[in-house]
Amino acid sequence: TDPEAPKHKGISLFLVPMNSPGITVTPMPTIGDEITNMVFLDDVYVPNDYMVGERGKGFNYISEALDLERFTMFTFSPIQQRLDLLLDYVATEDRDGMPLREDPVIRQRIAQLATEAEVARVLGLRFVAASMAGGAPPTSEASEYKLYATEFSRRLANASMDIGGPGSQLRVRTEGAPMGGRAESTYRYTVIDTIGGGASEIQKNIIARRKLGLPKNF
């Protein structure tokens, strides 16, 4: 090693052609009917021409990309659609001869969900506003939105399963299933949302360190 060579610290980012010798991709189905992959790299050679940006800045690039992903992959619109589906179900269905909309327990739960949905929507608007201000993607706002929106989506799925009753366990598009079986598929898929783009625990760490100035917990 040349002692006079410049020293570079940090991780560099490379684009690796998927047809490179030594790459093995194994599909792995998930609980939410999505397909992720196990990727193995055995002695894969990647020339320097495939480096992205500056040497040693890979972590910065990936972090900025994740800030955008945490909003764009978990936008509020699909969450609102699932809430509207549950609201329509409660407004039109009966149980034991009594309309669900008149059950005080269900009314309280729906009111809580509607309130939390508004919080998620506004957190999304805060991210958009911060992004329009210019500069680097707003890290803490992205984590705040992603953490709250995906955990709320999971609570909404749980509520849909509870309110729909035993029939909500039927698969999506099953004839006669409450809410067309959407509750069951949403229940499975929202588990992935709290992991993809950085698990909820990671978002809490980012908020604690970058927004609140707290030390690392490890």
Side-chain angles (χ1 to χ4, degrees):
T1 302
D2 182 1
E4 302 300 324
K7 300 296 189 295
H8 295 277
K9 295 182 178 180
I11 300 172
S12 297
L13 179 63
F14 287 82
L15 293 178
V16 183
M18 295 305 294
N19 59 354
S20 300
I23 295 181
T24 304
V25 179
T26 304
M28 185 170 60
T30 69
I31 189 174
D33 293 333
E34 291 282 345
I35 300 294
T36 186
N37 297 287
M38 294 183 289
V39 181
F40 297 91
L41 297 95
D42 299 310
D43 297 325
V44 178
Y45 173 76
V46 183
N48 288 336
D49 291 344
Y50 288 90
M51 183 186 299
V52 176
E54 297 180 38
R55 185 175 181 180
K57 296 291 185 67
F59 183 80
N60 302 71
Y61 300 146
I62 292 297
S63 295
E64 290 189 6
L66 282 171
D67 288 338
L68 297 174
E69 176 184 328
R70 286 164 184 156
F71 177 77
T72 57
M73 285 192 65
F74 308 100
T75 53
F76 179 70
S77 179
I79 301 174
Q80 181 66 61
Q81 292 174 4
R82 292 195 287 268
L83 176 60
D84 290 342
L85 185 66
L86 177 59
L87 294 178
D88 290 342
Y89 179 79
V90 170
T92 57
E93 291 294 319
D94 295 349
R95 182 168 299 156
D96 297 329
M98 184 179 78
L100 288 179
R101 64 182 181 273
E102 296 181 6
D103 186 316
V105 175
I106 292 180
R107 289 171 65 90
Q108 187 278 332
R109 196 164 187 183
I110 291 296
Q112 183 69 34
L113 290 171
T115 302
E116 294 177 356
E118 184 64 11
V119 174
R121 186 183 73 85
V122 173
L123 285 173
L125 293 178
R126 285 183 59 189
F127 173 85
V128 172
S131 298
M132 294 176 65
T139 300
S140 58
E141 286 85 355
S143 291
E144 288 168 359
Y145 171 77
K146 199 272 179 181
L147 172 64
Y148 192 91
T150 56
E151 290 292 344
F152 166 69
S153 185
R154 184 178 56 81
R155 292 193 295 272
L156 174 58
N158 292 345
S160 297
M161 291 288 288
D162 291 344
I163 295 174
S168 62
Q169 299 177 47
L170 297 173
R171 297 280 290 192
V172 65
R173 290 185 290 275
T174 299
E175 184 177 353
M179 294 167 274
R182 286 286 301 279
E184 182 272 342
S185 62
T186 300
Y187 182 81
R188 289 183 289 108
Y189 195 90
T190 51
V191 175
I192 301 174
D193 290 348
T194 62
I195 300 172
S200 293
E201 291 75 15
I202 292 176
Q203 307 312 316
K204 292 176 182 178
N205 275 336
I206 292 173
I207 295 168
R209 292 173 55 196
R210 302 193 184 185
K211 189 67 176 285
L212 304 178
L214 298 177
K216 293 182 179 180
N217 66 349
F218 54 85

